[in-house]
Structures are given as structure tokens and as C-alpha cells.
Amino acid sequence: GKSKSLSDGYPVELEGVTQALNQLLVQSSAQQQRYQNAMNDLAHSLKTRLAAVHAITDDRTLDKEACSEKIMEQVSQMDQLVKYQLKRAMLGRKGLKQEQTQIAPLVDQLAQMLFKVYRDKQVKFEAVIPTEHVFPGDKGDLMELCGNLMENAFKLCITTVRVSSYYNDAGEFELLVEDDGPGVEESIRQNIIQRGVRADTQKAGQGIGLAVCNEIVISYGGRLSIETSDLEGACFRISIPI
């Protein structure tokens, strides 16, 4: 039960069987890893929605009807996330390029949720996203990307968060999430997009969010880069070929 594959030293008559068994072992291992990652990703995504529900129930300015409506909105998002992660666990991370998703409404929805979670910070949020701009992929993927990057920005900013989208000269779609927080040191920029690695150990978290973003972006043939924003904090730039 410890071998990862069968050895090569079998008679030629058994080569077909050994190759098939080795392929099965590889597929089984990959599927197990996918399910493990999907469970971790789901827990990470639901955590923010649950924090928003707590913030809504503590908000004394909301009447009962408004409170119920906002909680149901979060529950609906949780339902979408569960379905999305189950699909990812079964299919793996394959960018669905034939789909297109409107960006501005989803970013606004996430910002409203994060205002509730981080209401004590009084964050100034700016979205520079033309209404005609679309993400060249799945809505669940865009929600994961924006949700993780925007939550990090709200958590680490001093006062300001900005999300913007462009089509660059190289024929790529670009999405930028920036803040005016401490930024990310150049020496650790590549490391923090790996699973379980965190730049900020002072605040709660599992070090999953940026790894999820990187996996999604790679599945679309794109790249996730970390730069310094003109807001003087971090700038997370997603570039995806159209």
C-alpha cells in the first residue's frame, strides 16, 4: 500500500496491465488531491460569508426584513460556492474560456459584503470597471479570484482599496486589486502564492486564498503577479489571454 507505482521489470506480456494500473494510481492520487484542495478552498470561501452573516446580525441599524434579506443573500452565495467547489473537485481546474461573466456587478456585491465584515475600518472603495468589461471565464472562478484578493485588500489596507479592469496591448484581459497597506516584500512574492504559505502571520488565516487564485489563473493560461501599487500598498495583477 506504500508504492506510488509498479516497477518496470515485468514481462512484456504484462506491460499493458502494469501501464493501466500505473495510470489508475496516478489518476486516483490526483483526484484525492483535488478533493482535498476543494474542501480546503470551500472552508476558506465560506469563512468570509459567515463573518458577513455575523456582522449583519450585529448591525442594529437594520430592521428585521432588511436583515433577513441580507442574510439570505449570503446564504445564496454559500450555496453557489458549494456547487462550484463540488464541480471543481470532479472536473479539476479547467478554465472554461467559452463563458463570459460581467465583472462590475459581482465586484459591487463582494464590496457590500466586505463593508459589513470590516465596517470598523471605514474603508474607501473604488471600482474602475467599465460596464461592458467581461471576465473571459466562469462566474465561480471570478467570484473566487475577486473574493480572495478583495478580502486580503480590505483586511490589510489602511483606508483605501481599488479594483480596476483593462484590456492591454498584448491582447490580454487584466484585473487589478490594489490597497494602501504595507504591501508585499519582493523576496516573498513568489512564495505566498503556494498553498499554506502566508505573508502575514499576525492575522488569522490558512494561507490558501492566493494559491487558489494562482491555480485558477493558470488554468486559463494566465498569470498572477504581485507588484507595488501607486496607492503605496500591494497590487495584485491578473492577466488572462483573450
Side-chain angles (χ1 to χ4, degrees):
K2 293 176 184 172
S3 295
K4 295 249 168 84
S5 66
L6 298 173
S7 65
D8 295 329
Y10 285 91
V12 67
E13 294 87 350
L14 294 177
E15 269 185 11
V17 178
T18 55
Q19 284 173 5
L21 280 170
N22 281 338
Q23 195 175 2
L24 183 66
L25 285 165
V26 168
Q27 287 175 352
S28 175
S29 174
Q31 187 179 42
Q32 190 176 4
Q33 188 61 52
R34 277 208 308 273
Y35 273 101
Q36 182 65 54
N37 288 350
M39 291 303 292
N40 290 340
D41 298 349
L42 180 58
H44 185 264
S45 301
L46 292 179
K47 174 175 62 79
T48 309
R49 274 77 191 176
L50 289 169
V53 170
H54 279 293
I56 291 163
T57 53
D58 288 343
D59 192 342
R60 301 285 176 235
T61 63
L62 295 173
D63 59 33
K64 190 174 179 182
E65 188 178 339
C67 185
S68 297
E69 187 182 325
K70 289 186 179 297
I71 287 173
M72 284 311 297
E73 194 178 293
Q74 295 306 318
V75 170
S76 172
Q77 281 192 31
M78 290 185 215
D79 183 46
Q80 284 177 30
L81 283 165
V82 170
K83 288 174 182 169
Y84 165 73
Q85 290 297 357
L86 285 174
K87 184 177 79 170
R88 280 285 173 237
M90 290 167 69
L91 301 178
R93 291 204 179 280
K94 293 175 184 167
L96 305 173
K97 289 196 178 183
Q98 66 271 28
E99 293 189 35
Q100 293 190 329
T101 306
Q102 288 261 297
I103 304 163
L106 191 140
V107 165
D108 181 60
Q109 187 183 38
L110 288 167
Q112 295 307 316
M113 175 188 75
L114 291 164
F115 283 138
K116 293 287 182 199
V117 178
Y118 296 98
R119 65 182 185 275
D120 295 340
K121 289 186 79 169
Q122 300 289 306
V123 175
K124 283 181 2 194
F125 177 72
E126 183 186 2
V128 188
I129 303 168
T131 51
E132 70 274 12
H133 278 198
V134 291
F135 172 71
D138 182 63
K139 183 179 180 181
D141 287 340
L142 181 61
M143 186 176 276
E144 278 290 301
L145 288 171
C146 290
N148 283 313
L149 295 179
M150 285 172 65
E151 187 189 3
N152 281 349
F154 270 73
K155 187 194 298 180
L156 296 169
C157 75
I158 299 168
T159 59
T160 309
V161 173
R162 181 168 68 208
V163 179
S164 48
S165 64
Y166 304 92
Y167 294 107
N168 68 21
D169 295 338
E172 295 175 320
F173 166 77
E174 289 202 339
L175 184 70
L176 277 67
V177 179
E178 303 169 82
D179 64 70
D180 63 347
V184 181
E185 289 177 35
E186 269 191 66
S187 59
I188 61 167
R189 286 179 182 177
Q190 278 308 303
N191 291 341
I192 63 170
I193 58 176
Q194 297 170 24
R195 278 182 181 263
V197 178
R198 294 171 52 209
D200 178 17
T201 54
Q202 303 302 310
K203 290 184 170 65
Q206 293 83 24
I208 292 173
L210 290 177
V212 172
C213 292
N214 194 44
E215 287 167 16
I216 292 170
V217 171
I218 287 170
S219 79
Y220 285 95
R223 64 190 181 280
L224 171 64
S225 52
I226 306 169
E227 303 165 8
T228 301
S229 166
D230 59 16
L231 297 174
E232 297 187 3
C235 170
F236 290 85
R237 183 188 298 269
I238 291 166
S239 307
I240 293 176
I242 301 166

